[in-house]
Amino acid sequence: MSNLDRQAALSVCGGRGFVVAEPVRELLSPRTVRLGESTEVRRLLPNLGRRMVGAWAFVDHYGPDDIADEPGMQVPPHPHMGLQTVSWLHEGEVLHRDSTGSLATIRPRELGLMTSGRAISHSEETPRSHARYLHGAQLWVALPDAHRQVDPQFEHHPDLPAVTAPGLTATVILGSLDGATSPGTAYTPIVGADLTLSDGADVRLPLDRDFEYAVLAMSGEAVVDGVPVLPGSMLYLGCGRTELALRAESDAALMLLGGEPFEEELIMFWNWIGRSQEEIAEARRDWMEGTRFGEVKGYDGDPLPAPELPPGPLKARGRVR
């Protein structure tokens, strides 16, 4: 999914200096952003005061939206570099096309993982014949410097491993959790997991003390480490935990995001992650001139133009505004 904000601003993030090295409970409220004509998302990362969780650098939550008589998600071709996109659905379908020639329909609880590497472009659409509801999350993972120039690729994994406990199913989307490892390619120590809780479940999920974590509430009523978390909000948990207490007040769904704190300092602008403003400016020029990012074949429509860069120089620095 693209960042379609036409007032896009340079964001600075990364670096261990702003990682909370102990357990905390920091509830993050979303910012509402419109994507196209009919899709509205709640943006949790980057957030005022909190830019990353491990290598997770961007989190949008959308739906559930009734799109029975609407086109649903319609995101024209747009570019990415320096990151991976993670598409995760609870309801609906998304048709993915990209400049490597990939074409795939992503369905609920299937992993769509696109590694942009040095450059890729893609589009995302709700198919013409589609389910009534659309509900999911779109996330970005920052690529470390050693891997950010890798060849672009797309992976579609319909079957993912799961960890179970009474009242809990934890599907491992990316990285590893409690001995289960996703088939998706990861470039940093990371975890992303979909947590399905049944009404009344009261469980403890094992964590890695060296990771920082956050929990995104997708649906239902759940209490995370004693804090009620409403759908569309995210609870940042810091580091230093070996387990996480979860309690469901109804059937509920959460996403656990975590990873080793990201050491490098980054600049995010529009749909790119780089290390300098010059690098971002070059990416914008290449996209507008039709070079480097390739062509998305089969999409009926024009690609998205990039927003203008803001005036003045900016260097990458810490993880918070």
Side-chain angles (χ1 to χ4, degrees):
M1 182 180 294
S2 172
N3 177 6
L4 299 188
D5 190 347
R6 302 308 300 169
Q7 305 299 318
L10 285 165
S11 298
V12 292
C13 49
R16 286 178 177 264
F18 295 91
V19 175
V20 180
E22 60 186 7
V24 296
R25 302 174 186 87
E26 180 183 307
L27 193 61
L28 304 180
S29 297
R31 177 170 66 94
T32 302
V33 178
R34 290 203 66 83
L35 297 186
E37 295 296 325
S38 58
T39 302
E40 187 173 86
V41 304
R42 291 166 288 279
R43 184 152 298 162
L44 283 309
L45 286 181
N47 197 297
L48 182 63
R50 179 62 51 194
R51 293 297 187 184
M52 297 180 73
V53 177
W56 299 99
F58 181 96
V59 176
D60 274 354
H61 172 244
Y62 54 91
D65 296 325
D66 187 339
I67 59 169
D69 300 316
E70 298 180 10
M73 183 185 298
Q74 301 294 322
V75 182
H78 57 278
H80 287 289
M81 75 173 188
L83 57 91
Q84 294 175 288
T85 65
V86 175
S87 298
W88 190 251
L89 290 169
H90 279 191
E91 295 180 271
E93 309 88 22
V94 172
L95 178 63
H96 166 97
R97 304 175 193 265
D98 67 44
S99 54
T100 71
S102 297
L103 176 65
T105 300
I106 303 165
R107 296 180 172 84
R109 292 181 169 82
E110 299 179 352
L111 172 60
L113 177 65
M114 186 180 75
T115 300
S116 66
R118 60 181 180 272
I120 200 171
S121 57
H122 74 141
S123 64
E124 293 162 297
E125 308 166 75
T126 297
R128 289 187 179 181
S129 177
H130 56 259
R132 177 173 181 176
Y133 293 103
L134 180 64
H135 182 205
Q138 182 73 24
L139 313 98
W140 296 356
V141 179
L143 289 171
D145 190 62
H147 298 288
R148 67 192 184 101
Q149 299 296 332
V150 298
D151 292 339
Q153 65 170 327
F154 177 75
E155 302 172 44
H156 182 204
H157 298 287
D159 299 312
L160 297 168
V163 174
T164 60
L168 168 70
T169 299
T171 301
V172 184
I173 301 167
L174 197 64
S176 299
L177 177 68
D178 196 25
T181 299
S182 165
T185 302
Y187 293 91
T188 60
I190 196 169
V191 64
D194 184 86
L195 311 180
T196 301
L197 295 164
S198 59
D199 187 6
D202 191 349
V203 297
R204 291 183 177 270
L205 191 66
L207 300 181
D208 186 324
R209 181 185 293 274
D210 294 330
F211 281 16
E212 61 176 341
Y213 290 96
V215 170
L216 169 65
M218 297 288 286
S219 62
E221 299 179 29
V223 178
V224 179
D225 196 29
V227 179
V229 183
L230 298 176
S233 64
M234 188 163 71
L235 183 67
Y236 176 71
L237 297 164
C239 296
R241 296 173 182 271
T242 58
E243 62 179 16
L244 181 63
L246 303 169
R247 189 175 77 251
E249 305 291 332
S250 69
D251 290 345
L254 310 168
M255 291 187 73
L256 175 72
L257 306 174
E260 187 175 283
F262 201 79
E263 291 187 2
E264 300 169 36
E265 296 178 342
L266 311 172
I267 290 179
M268 287 175 51
F269 177 74
W270 199 43
N271 297 296
W272 301 302
I273 292 181
R275 302 302 189 274
S276 69
Q277 186 163 347
E278 292 73 23
E279 187 180 348
I280 298 295
E282 181 182 13
R284 185 187 184 281
R285 184 168 55 251
D286 290 346
W287 174 247
M288 296 302 288
E289 293 176 354
T291 62
R292 179 177 163 197
F293 290 95
E295 179 186 357
V296 179
K297 295 182 178 179
Y299 180 82
D300 184 16
D302 295 327
L304 288 172
E308 295 290 337
L309 286 169
L314 183 63
K315 294 182 179 180
R317 50 184 191 268
R319 300 164 58 87
V320 298
R321 181 175 291 176

